[in-house]
Amino acid sequence: MNYLRLTMAFFWVGVISEVAYRINFFFQLFQSLISLGVAIAGISVIFSYTDSLGGWNAQEILALVGVYLLVGGIIGLIIRPGMEQFIASVRDGNLDFTLTKPEDAQLLVSIQRTNLWSLIDIALGMGVLITALVRLGEKVGAGQAGEFVLVLVAGGSIIYSFFLILATLSFWFVRIENILTVFQSLYEAGRWPVSLYPGWLRYGLTFVIPVAFATTVPAEALTGRLNWQTLVAASIVALVLLVVSRLFWRIGLRRYAGASA
Amino acid sequence: MIKDSGTAPTVDIKDLRKLYMVTQQESGAGAAVQSLIHRRKLIVPAVDGISFHLDPGEIVGFLGPNGAGKTTTLKMLSGLLHPTAGEVKVLDYIPWKREKAFLRQITLVMGQRNQLVWDIPALSSYELNRVIYHIPLDHYRRTLAELTDLLELGPLLHKPVRNLSLGERMKCELAAALLHQPQVVFLDEPTIGLDVTMQRRIRSFLTEYNQRFGATILLTSHYMADVQALCKRVVVIHHGKLLFDGELAKLVQKFSEYKTIIVQIGDCQNNMADYGEVVSCEDGRITLRVPKAQTARVTEQLLADLPVIDLLVEDPPIEEIIDRVFAQEKA
Amino acid sequence: MKALIELYIQQFKTTLAMMVAYRASLLIWMIGQVLEPLVYLIVWSIVSNNNGGSIGDYTTSQFAAYFILLMLVNQVTYTWVMYEFEYRIREGNFSFTLLRPVHPIHADIADNISSKLITTPSMIVVAVALGLVFHVSLAPQPWAIALFFPALFLAFAIRFFIEWTLAMLTFWTTRVGAANQTYFVLMLFLSGQFAPLALLPAPIQVLANILPFRWLISYPIDLLMGRLTFNQALIGLGVQAAWLIVSFILLRVVWRAGIKVYSAVGA
């Protein structure tokens, strides 16, 4: 309950600091529309030469793009900004202020910043997703929707843990702000079903950089491709990563307290 | 909230040590590549066995040259660093465990950093701290009103922090750090970079805060004026070791072997060097430095020999004494 | 001139030391540089195989060759000045740069070339490995190889001037994200990063011929893939030279105006 209150308080601060830059709403809208346009243009060029890509038709790929935008929006809204600020705060020493606060440091670090305008991506992603599903004529039952939400939450948790692990590395390597930027270009690979990729890359995008769980798996749930093994695997991976990232975070903190100046 | 207030010391450290492992990197491309393969490591003691304690409600100056270990000690006291050895207790808590109950009662202010969110008014950052510290709304309003009054924050609270001057920002920082009415306040160079007026205002605020809330304050500063105005007692460290712990006046007595005599006479005379070391001579106002033991004799002689208009015996400026303390240590 | 050479040498040493210090982030950055073309390579290979082994006059293995070469050309011509500039202005570091008695672009050029000298060898290794994995065969004409290097150099120079000019938008507004992204999208489709230009709709191909982007990426690739006649190749070099002049003039003009704005409000 208190966590929710804290999150809202931080979100509110984000709102206040961003309304000063209202113009950013239009910038972000513009950028989001552009990246949507790029995705659609790409799909239409590719599907002018083929009917299916790894067993997915154009509308199904569009649904995947919707999930891609949606999850990208979630990452941009709440996951990435906090981690970026955390990495910066290790470098400039402002983390000390966070650590002297009487609240769990991982929580504070995770929610300390939000990027309001990413809500646009989330809205756009949902719009694309719904459009694609309607055009597919797919009937999404309650069961399927439930599965979708479940794997989406699992995917979000996996990405969050992954970001946390990457960011925690900054306790050892001071300059790694790049690390998050690069995630973005790896995330691009999630615009396509991971089943397209050769084995080593598929495994890489599933288990090393868990893009597959964030995009392909939820899209599978909506297009009736999800089997129960994947569902269980996603849930287990999510739980394990949450625990592992938490442990790693604590090791990092211990190191920070032990060796930093 | 405080356990055994009045009897137990607020801050208690015994034989505190902190060692750092430092990797050495030399400049130049060749050395950079070489450091990939092999790095030289050094163990540097930042804090090398210091002990002292603070009683509730004390304001103590924590002095030492750059790199003496002040900030490291403050960080160990506020729970940011884990000591290598020794014992630290603050309000009977072990700081590095960073228990919430402990963190709610302390604060750390660093003059060279800021915790306020840059793009928004300070007031919004305060609201955030209210939630983080679970400050009840009426408490919060009252404390904020008091702090606003003491620091004259009224017109600043609604401006984005980035638009504030350095001094204004520091005032807002202080308020943010004190909203939860901490029992223990650690201040690391709170007046650094500020002009003299602003320094003075912050000093008087700290005195006021200390009296009103009975908080214990440990303060580092490069400005001796801060220390003289605020602290009866000082703790001096150098190279991680404790040099002095006691009243500021005693520090002067202990380390100052000289006194300064200022005499006002008609004009500068050539033979002044006979009386002591001439520091300056301007418009018949002569400043002499004289060994402490000879002060009385020299004063008498000056009065007997010269047409003295005015005569003043002073301790040398505290900066000079501190400088001498550290210089002696080095030798 | 001698001072400039010394500056470049000194910058090389600094860059080298920086890259060693930040080797972890360097490695991650390179993974990103490889992955993007690789994804397109894979997608197009699948489409090509679905289509019976080729699309237009690109066979599956030619797609592989195309995107691997793209990776290399992009590696050589890539710049990060647009991010760097925004950071500099925001942090107020740019004023220091202006105090130096040498135009700030030199430090950027030197830094860029230095880091490329260091990272390119490993990119070539990656490219060769990918070439083996995807069974790529290339047999360019000797003249094409001879022309490839000046073409690559010109591509780098034009891209550098264009992106440095765009980066200067920061003088006018600190919110340059939208402009940058528009540029990247144009780059993606019109330079041939998304697909060989010949596969895109005709209007886009026309646009690609008018705008500078294809001369930054697609043209050097086409040279090595033997898709240009000798005459076409020479014309291409001519067009590149023209764009070099245009972009250089643009850079100068924008710099003059920008520095005026910056010194009026920013510094």
Side-chain angles (χ1 to χ4, degrees):
Chain A
M1 191 52 222
N2 184 48
Y3 289 174
L4 198 66
R5 238 163 56 105
L6 260 177
T7 309
M8 286 316 293
F10 275 104
F11 183 72
W12 186 236
V13 163
V15 171
I16 297 170
S17 43
E18 277 300 323
V19 286
Y21 302 108
R22 249 162 313 206
I23 191 84
N24 275 7
F25 169 80
F26 296 101
F27 281 129
Q28 184 66 49
L29 185 65
F30 177 76
Q31 298 195 357
S32 304
L33 285 175
I34 279 195
S35 64
L36 177 62
V38 167
I40 291 175
I43 290 174
S44 54
V45 170
I46 283 171
F47 280 90
S48 71
Y49 293 103
T50 185
D51 297 329
S52 88
L53 200 57
W56 297 56
N57 67 29
Q59 296 308 327
E60 287 170 334
I61 295 277
L62 190 65
L64 177 62
V65 167
V67 175
Y68 169 84
L69 283 175
L70 173 66
V71 174
I74 295 171
I75 294 172
L77 177 74
I78 182 78
I79 299 179
R80 193 176 155 161
M83 292 304 154
E84 266 173 357
Q85 177 143 337
F86 160 69
I87 291 174
S89 74
V90 173
R91 191 158 25 100
D92 62 27
N94 279 342
L95 182 68
D96 291 351
F97 288 120
T98 310
L99 294 182
T100 51
K101 295 280 187 299
E103 195 46 80
D104 184 74
Q106 184 190 335
L107 175 79
L108 285 180
V109 156
S110 305
I111 62 174
Q112 63 186 336
R113 228 168 90 188
T114 48
N115 177 15
L116 182 65
W117 309 125
S118 289
L119 287 172
I120 295 171
D121 279 334
I122 294 177
L124 219 54
M126 284 167 72
V128 171
L129 192 57
I130 290 167
T131 312
L133 291 177
V134 169
R135 287 167 76 174
L136 273 173
E138 188 108 6
K139 287 200 184 61
V140 181
Q144 229 173 340
E147 279 176 10
F148 172 70
V149 171
L150 185 68
V151 287
L152 195 64
V153 169
S157 312
I158 290 169
I159 294 283
Y160 165 74
S161 311
F162 180 71
F163 264 85
L164 181 64
I165 290 171
L166 288 188
T168 303
L169 286 173
S170 61
F171 284 126
W172 285 268
F173 310 98
V174 175
R175 210 182 113 164
I176 55 161
E177 63 263 53
N178 257 337
I179 220 170
L180 302 185
T181 320
V182 165
F183 175 82
Q184 217 59 29
S185 66
L186 297 180
Y187 184 63
E188 300 260 321
R191 275 221 303 252
W192 312 98
V194 287
S195 54
L196 294 190
Y197 302 127
W200 57 275
L201 188 55
R202 191 166 61 235
Y203 286 116
L205 289 173
T206 309
F207 296 109
V208 183
I209 298 122
V211 171
F213 285 114
T215 57
T216 306
V217 173
E220 281 178 349
L222 283 183
T223 53
R225 286 185 166 75
L226 188 69
N227 53 28
W228 67 268
Q229 291 96 328
T230 313
L231 186 94
V232 171
S235 313
I236 292 176
V237 171
L239 287 176
V240 169
L241 268 184
L242 281 173
V243 172
V244 167
S245 61
R246 172 82 181 166
L247 289 176
F248 187 54
W249 163 262
R250 297 186 63 158
I251 293 171
L253 261 192
R254 220 169 296 153
R255 167 170 167 111
Y256 185 75
S260 85
Chain B
M1 282 221 292
I2 323 169
K3 306 170 188 173
D4 295 334
S5 77
T7 51
T10 309
V11 170
D12 193 6
I13 63 183
K14 282 196 197 97
D15 200 26
L16 189 64
R17 273 166 220 278
K18 179 75 197 172
L19 306 179
Y20 287 129
M21 202 70 126
V22 184
T23 48
Q24 277 196 315
Q25 194 171 11
E26 277 131 77
S27 74
V33 173
Q34 201 180 13
S35 76
L36 268 176
I37 304 145
H38 179 73
R39 294 197 194 194
R40 283 209 294 170
K41 289 191 174 165
L42 275 181
I43 293 175
V44 180
V47 173
D48 201 4
I50 63 175
S51 312
F52 64 84
H53 61 83
L54 308 185
D55 289 325
E58 260 194 308
I59 307 188
V60 174
F62 193 29
L63 308 180
N66 289 334
K70 289 171 299 184
T71 304
T72 304
T73 308
L74 281 187
K75 283 187 172 181
M76 285 193 280
L77 286 171
S78 49
L80 293 170
L81 283 181
H82 194 299
T84 313
E87 226 179 89
V88 208
K89 278 200 171 164
V90 176
L91 297 168
D92 253 355
Y93 291 96
I94 294 168
W96 58 261
K97 290 189 173 164
R98 297 198 301 108
E99 289 163 73
K100 290 181 186 177
F102 163 70
L103 293 174
R104 247 173 235 139
Q105 295 180 62
I106 66 149
T107 202
L108 172 66
V109 178
M110 290 176 277
Q112 282 150 314
R113 304 212 190 120
N114 49 295
Q115 65 161 322
L116 298 172
V117 184
W118 199 241
D119 282 327
I120 59 173
L123 199 57
S124 309
S125 288
Y126 296 169
E127 289 284 340
L128 209 51
N129 274 5
R130 177 175 73 78
V131 181
I132 293 172
Y133 282 96
H134 302 287
I135 310 172
L137 203 57
D138 53 332
H139 261 257
Y140 166 77
R141 291 213 178 107
R142 205 170 338 117
T143 318
L144 182 59
E146 268 183 87
L147 291 172
T148 306
D149 182 44
L150 282 175
L151 285 165
E152 297 164 30
L153 295 180
L156 310 180
L157 289 179
H158 298 277
K159 283 192 209 167
V161 171
R162 72 188 129 83
N163 292 346
L164 300 177
S165 75
L166 195 61
E168 293 171 335
R169 207 157 71 220
M170 196 59 223
K171 291 205 291 184
C172 291
E173 287 280 339
L174 275 174
L178 299 173
L179 269 178
H180 59 288
Q181 297 190 11
Q183 287 298 312
V184 185
V185 180
F186 300 116
L187 298 163
D188 196 7
E189 300 284 350
T191 55
I192 199 156
L194 305 185
D195 66 38
V196 181
T197 330
M198 192 59 83
Q199 287 181 16
R200 210 174 289 142
R201 180 142 336 145
I202 287 188
R203 260 175 241 148
S204 67
F205 165 74
L206 290 174
T207 318
E208 189 89 5
Y209 182 86
N210 165 260
Q211 283 166 0
R212 224 180 261 199
F213 299 99
T216 312
I217 300 178
L218 184 62
L219 154 113
T220 78
S221 179
H222 274 106
Y223 300 109
M224 283 309 141
D226 285 348
V227 179
Q228 274 171 304
L230 290 170
C231 316
K232 255 206 215 126
R233 181 180 149 206
V234 292
V235 172
V236 184
I237 65 169
H238 190 35
H239 294 314
K241 291 200 162 75
L242 194 78
L243 273 192
F244 177 84
D245 177 0
E247 280 175 36
L248 188 58
K250 293 249 173 67
L251 176 78
V252 174
Q253 268 178 26
K254 184 174 173 195
F255 288 98
S256 156
E257 293 154 8
Y258 294 89
K259 288 234 178 214
T260 307
I261 303 177
I262 303 164
V263 271
Q264 184 84 40
I265 46 177
D267 59 330
C268 272
Q269 306 211 355
N270 292 336
N271 58 347
M272 286 312 286
D274 297 348
Y275 299 98
E277 184 190 333
V278 180
V279 180
S280 74
C281 179
E282 263 170 43
D283 301 333
R285 194 180 152 84
I286 300 154
T287 309
L288 291 172
R289 202 158 71 162
V290 180
K292 202 152 61 177
Q294 296 174 26
T295 318
R297 189 182 55 78
V298 173
T299 314
E300 241 168 75
Q301 250 178 4
L302 280 168
L303 288 169
D305 298 352
L306 300 168
V308 173
I309 302 166
D310 195 9
L311 185 143
L312 212 64
V313 181
E314 275 183 352
D315 284 313
I318 186 115
E319 278 89 349
E320 212 170 280
I321 298 174
I322 297 274
D323 273 353
R324 188 153 317 135
V325 173
F326 298 144
Q328 274 176 7
E329 270 303 299
K330 228 174 265 167
Chain C
M1 194 61 209
K2 194 170 155 247
L4 260 185
I5 291 169
E6 259 173 49
L7 174 87
Y8 276 61
I9 292 171
Q10 202 49 50
Q11 185 67 50
F12 177 77
K13 288 181 185 163
T14 314
T15 304
L16 180 61
M18 293 267 287
M19 295 181 102
V20 169
Y22 302 133
R23 53 197 176 277
S25 56
L26 189 69
L27 180 71
I28 292 158
W29 175 79
M30 284 176 63
I31 293 172
Q33 285 290 92
V34 173
L35 193 80
E36 203 185 331
L38 185 61
V39 167
Y40 288 123
L41 188 167
I42 290 163
V43 169
W44 281 108
S45 301
I46 291 170
V47 177
S48 162
N49 284 338
N50 285 358
N51 232 14
S54 73
I55 303 173
D57 50 0
Y58 279 84
T59 65
T60 305
S61 103
Q62 278 173 328
F63 272 112
Y66 181 88
F67 283 105
I68 292 168
L69 286 175
L70 183 133
M71 197 185 87
L72 285 177
V73 172
N74 194 45
Q75 152 74 14
V76 172
T77 59
Y78 181 84
T79 86
W80 46 88
V81 285
M82 284 149 87
Y83 310 104
E84 192 75 30
F85 241 79
E86 201 190 343
Y87 175 78
R88 276 178 207 162
I89 303 271
R90 189 155 32 89
E91 302 286 306
N93 296 338
F94 193 70
S95 303
F96 295 110
T97 325
L98 277 184
L99 290 178
R100 293 190 196 144
V102 57
H103 194 291
I105 198 171
H106 288 297
D108 284 340
I109 297 175
D111 176 53
N112 199 301
I113 294 177
S114 308
S115 58
K116 298 291 179 57
L117 282 177
I118 299 159
T119 51
T120 304
S122 24
M123 282 305 238
I124 291 175
V125 172
V126 172
V128 170
L130 285 176
L132 291 176
V133 170
F134 290 96
H135 309 292
V136 169
S137 65
L138 267 183
Q141 300 279 348
W143 62 261
I145 299 175
L147 290 185
F148 173 74
F149 289 99
L152 191 62
F153 175 76
L154 284 170
F156 165 71
I158 302 168
R159 190 168 174 186
F160 196 90
F161 288 159
I162 290 178
E163 294 188 0
W164 219 80
T165 307
L166 271 176
M168 281 191 278
L169 279 182
T170 326
F171 289 141
W172 282 271
T173 163
T174 48
R175 308 263 150 180
V176 289
N180 290 355
Q181 194 160 357
T182 313
Y183 171 78
F184 290 131
V185 169
L186 291 175
M187 188 84 179
L188 178 67
F189 286 103
L190 297 175
S191 74
Q193 282 177 332
F194 171 72
L197 288 170
L199 300 184
L200 297 179
I204 293 185
Q205 291 191 40
V206 173
L207 207 58
N209 280 330
I210 301 170
L211 293 170
F213 302 101
R214 72 168 296 178
W215 308 104
L216 309 181
I217 301 281
S218 165
Y219 167 65
I221 302 176
D222 288 346
L223 253 179
L224 275 196
M225 292 197 49
R227 293 190 173 268
L228 301 175
T229 64
F230 185 65
N231 280 344
Q232 283 171 323
L234 284 186
I235 292 170
L237 275 185
V239 176
Q240 275 192 321
W243 276 115
L244 184 72
I245 294 167
V246 170
S247 59
F248 182 69
I249 293 172
L250 205 64
L251 176 87
R252 297 286 301 231
V253 172
V254 175
W255 170 253
R256 290 232 178 103
I259 226 50
K260 228 177 265 173
V261 171
Y262 181 71
S263 49
V265 293

